């Protein structure tokens, strides 16, 4: 019997405090906007900003997943200019913005800022009990395993992938194909909060499920209200 894998976008499992309380479903870039704001407040500039103000200035690679790039040995340094640009867009002087951008890594990875999405541990346990091996994909930095450990989910995940290592952001076809290549022959379902990622999965022949999304589900996809709904959908398949 072929192995069965439930490939989960990281944001279906964990949330960073930002404009939205940890555990709730906020905009996809809440965590990044919140980290920039936290780094700004922690600086000696005396300045502050809201995630809503910072978010429009964030130009991150997964906003343009067709932008090709190699694996990044120094992911954080590569992104400092984007962080500084977003801070400069809320009137932080450029020299200060450059300095604060170097502190975003520590702010983003702050363990106290992270929590598992409500119901995520039970949903992962149910997937495992139903014969589905949970696998995670993060559009973001190399520390995906550390973040899963911070929120207490590392022991419930078979393997974690990150675009910092693969070189591809969801919904790029190679992001999905990289996971398939690494795990070998098996059955895959994908679940995420971004309709574009659901569409990307469907394009490569992987069934896609939108979790807790208010947007339209791509043709051929499905939707569930939460991860518990995903476990119920896959139970017995």
């Amino acid at each position: 019997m072929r192995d069965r894998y439930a490939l989960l976008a990281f944001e279906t499992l964990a949330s960073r405090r930002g404009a939205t309380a940890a555990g709730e479903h906020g905009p996809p870039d809440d965590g990044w906007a919140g980290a920039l704001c936290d780094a700004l407040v922690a600086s000696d500039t005396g300045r502050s900003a809201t995630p809503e103000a910072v978010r429009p200035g964030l130009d991150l690679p997964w906003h343009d997943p067709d932008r090709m790039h190699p694996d990044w040995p120094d992911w954080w340094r590569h992104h400092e200019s984007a962080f500084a640009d977003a801070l400069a867009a809320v009137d932080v002087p450029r020299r200060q913005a450059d300095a604060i951008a170097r502190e975003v890594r520590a702010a983003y990875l702050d363990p106290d800022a992270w929590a598992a999405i409500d119901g995520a541990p039970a949903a992962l346990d149910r997937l495992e009990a139903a014969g589905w091996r949970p696998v995670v994909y993060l559009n973001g930095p190399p520390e995906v395993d550390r973040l899963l450990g911070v929120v207490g989910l590392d022991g419930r995940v078979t393997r974690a992938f990150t675009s910092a290592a693969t070189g591809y952001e969801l919904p790029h076809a190679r992001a999905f194909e990289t996971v398939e290549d690494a795990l070998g022959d098996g059955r895959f379902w994908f679940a995420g909060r971004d309709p574009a990622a659901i569409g990307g999965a469907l394009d490569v022949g992987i069934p896609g499920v939108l979790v807790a999304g208010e947007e339209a589900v791509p043709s051929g996809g499905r939707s569930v209200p939460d991860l518990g709904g995903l476990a119920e959908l896959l139970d017995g398949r």
Side-chain angles (χ1 to χ4, degrees):
M1 181 177 178
R2 298 167 69 196
D3 287 331
R4 294 182 293 174
Y5 297 100
L7 176 58
L8 310 171
F10 179 82
E11 63 269 18
T12 65
L13 296 176
S15 172
R16 190 189 183 281
R17 183 188 66 247
T20 305
E24 297 180 6
H25 301 291
D29 288 328
D30 255 9
W32 289 106
L36 265 66
C37 293
D38 289 349
L40 177 59
V41 169
S43 71
D44 58 5
T45 64
R47 294 174 176 268
S48 64
T50 66
E52 292 88 348
V54 169
R55 192 179 301 115
L58 275 170
D59 181 19
L60 297 169
W62 44 95
H63 296 162
D64 185 12
D66 289 332
R67 185 192 308 169
M68 302 299 294
H69 58 75
D71 293 358
W72 293 325
D74 194 349
W75 190 95
W76 289 98
R77 184 178 61 81
H78 182 94
H79 285 70
E80 285 173 3
S81 60
F83 300 151
D85 288 345
L87 291 166
V90 291
D91 299 325
V92 177
R94 186 68 201 201
R95 181 171 295 181
Q96 293 179 340
D98 288 339
I100 295 167
R102 293 191 287 273
E103 304 303 319
V104 171
R105 179 179 187 175
Y108 184 80
L109 297 175
D110 178 4
D112 292 334
W114 286 91
I117 296 290
D118 291 344
L124 291 175
D125 289 345
R126 183 170 176 185
L127 284 168
E128 187 77 34
W132 290 87
R133 304 175 70 182
V135 177
V136 173
Y137 201 104
L138 170 66
N139 277 357
E143 292 89 350
V144 60
D145 290 311
R146 183 196 302 185
L147 292 174
L148 287 168
V150 162
V151 300
L153 298 179
D154 50 337
R156 291 180 163 94
V157 171
T158 297
R159 188 162 173 184
F161 296 82
T162 169
S163 61
T166 68
Y168 300 95
E169 282 92 22
L170 300 172
H172 197 287
R174 280 298 298 154
F176 296 102
E177 292 165 355
T178 297
V179 174
E180 292 180 309
D181 291 345
L183 296 177
D185 184 45
R187 290 180 57 203
F188 289 84
W189 279 62
F190 172 74
R193 290 182 48 222
D194 179 8
I198 306 305
L202 294 167
D203 286 345
V204 297
I206 297 175
V209 183
L210 185 68
V211 178
E214 298 180 357
E215 302 91 340
V217 182
S219 177
R222 308 199 184 193
S223 65
V224 291
D226 51 34
L227 276 180
L230 175 68
E232 182 177 352
L233 174 65
L234 295 186
D235 195 355
R237 287 182 177 272

